Amino acid sequence: MTKSILKKLTPYLYQYRYKFLFLVLLAIVGNILTLIGPYLVGKAINQIHVDMSRENFIYLGQISLALLFTYISGAYLSLIQNIKMNNISQNIVNVMRKNAFNKIHSFPLKAFNTMPQGNILTILINDIDNISSSLSQIGTRIVVNILTISTALIIMIYISPSLTIIQLILVTITGIFLNEITKRSKERRRVQQRYLGKLNSFVDEILTGQAEVKSFSYEERAIEKFKKLNKDYKENAIKALFFSGFNFPTLNFINNIGYSLIIFTGALFMLKGKIDLGELSSFIIYSKLFNRPIASIS
């Protein structure tokens, strides 16, 4: 999201600043609970062995209950956060659409001769709707993602600096890939929106001029032109969605290679006594928690 867009959104976001602050606090608490989970998993795994004593079973039960509490509480806080964020985003979009509609009525008449009606419809309906989905998806997640990345990184360094280096090398490769894909995807999205505006303009023109269309027997030509515009939009939408859909499968592929390398290297470290099974298990979960926000931010 560019600085100019953020500047325009700031007046709409500012009135919900206290609700945003509350949601950020909820997100931080939920995030901390989620990050405790892998640590507890490692502790639980280290308690499991062939000759388990009664004390081991009791301790394992306590860890399991604590683990259940952290995940249920984290999921509940995340649910509340999403519901509240969706409400805020819909309120903001409602006001934005009203303001945009009022703004249109302040334009001089000659402006409508150079501005296709389809583009106006696309802005009022489609573009503002995209802002709504972006706000509800982004919301407090930026704070959560940054917190998750930094906290998980610190814990991974504490568990094994060597395995963390492998993780960071793979993240660098992922970042280079994401940067290139994001550039291509954004450009394709812009082109897709332009074609959508043309399609909307033509449909609006035909619907409002039905009397003229029938009077001059323009039906067949209108259908053919619509087919062409619709086909152009479809082809550009497929190209735009290709780059968007290309992200996660490739990220998963790179991440899975990373997990394989971490498991293999971790197994070697275990043989040398540098790390135990519980710590390796915790590290793998933390590496997943570390990778997920990076994909989400992209």
Side-chain angles (χ1 to χ4, degrees), residues 75-95:
Y76 176 74
L77 291 176
S78 180
L79 177 65
I80 296 297
Q81 178 190 324
N82 287 336
I83 291 171
K84 295 289 185 183
M85 195 63 226
N86 284 332
N87 289 338
I88 290 173
S89 66
Q90 288 303 319
N91 287 333
I92 289 173
V93 165
N94 179 50
V95 175

Side-chain angles (χ1 to χ4, degrees), residues 25-81:
L25 291 174
L26 276 185
I28 291 171
V29 174
N31 187 255
I32 290 170
L33 289 170
T34 302
L35 288 167
I36 290 172
Y39 172 79
L40 295 175
V41 169
K43 288 289 184 183
I45 288 173
N46 283 338
Q47 291 300 311
I48 302 171
H49 49 82
V50 177
D51 301 319
M52 289 180 66
S53 64
R54 185 171 178 273
E55 287 75 18
N56 290 137
F57 273 110
I58 292 172
Y59 187 54
L60 186 61
Q62 290 172 342
I63 293 174
S64 299
L65 287 173
L67 191 61
L68 186 66
F69 170 77
T70 58
Y71 282 136
I72 290 175
S73 301
Y76 176 74
L77 291 176
S78 180
L79 177 65
I80 296 297
Q81 178 190 324

Side-chain angles (χ1 to χ4, degrees), residues 27 30 32 62 74 79 94-95 100 111 122 137-139 150 154 201 208 215 224 230 238 240 246 249-250 281-282 284:
I32 290 170
Q62 290 172 342
L79 177 65
N94 179 50
V95 175
T122 301
Q137 286 175 23
I138 296 170
S150 56
I154 291 167
S201 292
T208 54
S215 298
E224 287 303 315
N230 197 32
I238 288 171
F246 199 70
T250 309
S281 301
S282 294
I284 292 168

Side-chain angles (χ1 to χ4, degrees), residues 205-235:
E205 181 185 333
I206 293 300
L207 290 177
T208 54
Q210 269 298 299
E212 289 80 4
V213 169
K214 293 187 180 296
S215 298
F216 293 98
S217 301
Y218 189 71
E219 293 95 329
E220 290 298 325
R221 280 177 291 175
I223 291 169
E224 287 303 315
K225 188 172 180 180
F226 177 81
K227 283 181 180 178
K228 185 181 182 307
L229 288 170
N230 197 32
K231 183 183 177 183
D232 290 341
Y233 173 73
K234 180 196 76 172
E235 289 174 353

Side-chain angles (χ1 to χ4, degrees), residues 47-298:
Q47 291 300 311
I48 302 171
H49 49 82
V50 177
D51 301 319
M52 289 180 66
S53 64
R54 185 171 178 273
E55 287 75 18
N56 290 137
F57 273 110
I58 292 172
Y59 187 54
L60 186 61
Q62 290 172 342
I63 293 174
S64 299
L65 287 173
L67 191 61
L68 186 66
F69 170 77
T70 58
Y71 282 136
I72 290 175
S73 301
Y76 176 74
L77 291 176
S78 180
L79 177 65
I80 296 297
Q81 178 190 324
N82 287 336
I83 291 171
K84 295 289 185 183
M85 195 63 226
N86 284 332
N87 289 338
I88 290 173
S89 66
Q90 288 303 319
N91 287 333
I92 289 173
V93 165
N94 179 50
V95 175
M96 288 181 73
R97 196 167 274 132
K98 285 179 182 176
N99 291 346
F101 192 75
N102 291 338
K103 182 72 174 178
I104 288 169
H105 288 84
S106 67
F107 291 166
L109 190 59
K110 63 180 180 180
F112 294 95
N113 296 327
T114 57
M115 190 185 301
Q117 293 183 20
N119 286 352
I120 298 173
L121 287 172
T122 301
I123 292 168
L124 278 174
I125 307 300
N126 188 264
D127 291 357
I128 292 180
D129 225 35
N130 284 339
I131 292 174
S132 169
S133 60
S134 297
L135 282 174
S136 60
Q137 286 175 23
I138 296 170
T140 54
R141 289 188 191 181
I142 292 176
V143 176
V144 173
N145 288 337
I146 292 171
L147 183 65
T148 301
I149 290 169
S150 56
T151 308
L153 180 61
I154 291 167
I155 296 171
M156 286 193 301
I157 292 171
Y158 174 77
I159 294 173
S160 175
S162 301
L163 292 178
T164 306
I165 291 171
I166 295 173
Q167 179 68 49
L168 290 175
I169 290 170
L170 289 163
V171 166
T172 304
I173 295 170
T174 303
I176 294 168
F177 164 77
L178 283 177
N179 185 51
E180 187 60 32
I181 289 296
T182 302
K183 285 179 183 176
R184 293 175 180 268
S185 180
K186 282 169 69 176
E187 182 56 38
R188 287 295 178 185
R189 287 287 185 181
R190 290 192 188 101
V191 174
Q192 181 189 356
Q193 289 301 94
R194 285 200 294 269
Y195 275 97
L196 181 61
K198 290 179 181 179
L199 191 62
N200 284 339
S201 292
F202 183 71
V203 171
D204 180 68
E205 181 185 333
I206 293 300
L207 290 177
T208 54
Q210 269 298 299
E212 289 80 4
V213 169
K214 293 187 180 296
S215 298
F216 293 98
S217 301
Y218 189 71
E219 293 95 329
E220 290 298 325
R221 280 177 291 175
I223 291 169
E224 287 303 315
K225 188 172 180 180
F226 177 81
K227 283 181 180 178
K228 185 181 182 307
L229 288 170
N230 197 32
K231 183 183 177 183
D232 290 341
Y233 173 73
K234 180 196 76 172
E235 289 174 353
N236 281 278
I238 288 171
K239 290 176 183 177
L241 291 171
F242 170 78
F243 285 106
S244 299
F246 199 70
N247 259 354
F248 282 99
T250 309
L251 285 174
N252 285 334
F253 175 71
I254 295 172
N255 290 337
N256 287 335
I257 291 174
Y259 301 142
S260 301
L261 287 171
I262 288 168
I263 291 169
F264 178 76
T265 310
L268 294 177
F269 287 170
M270 282 179 62
L271 293 174
K272 294 180 180 179
K274 293 182 178 180
I275 194 172
D276 58 42
L277 182 59
E279 289 174 333
L280 178 58
S281 301
S282 294
F283 188 94
I284 292 168
I285 299 172
Y286 278 119
S287 69
K288 288 192 173 187
L289 289 174
F290 181 79
N291 287 330
R292 194 183 303 160
I294 293 172
S296 178
I297 287 170
S298 74

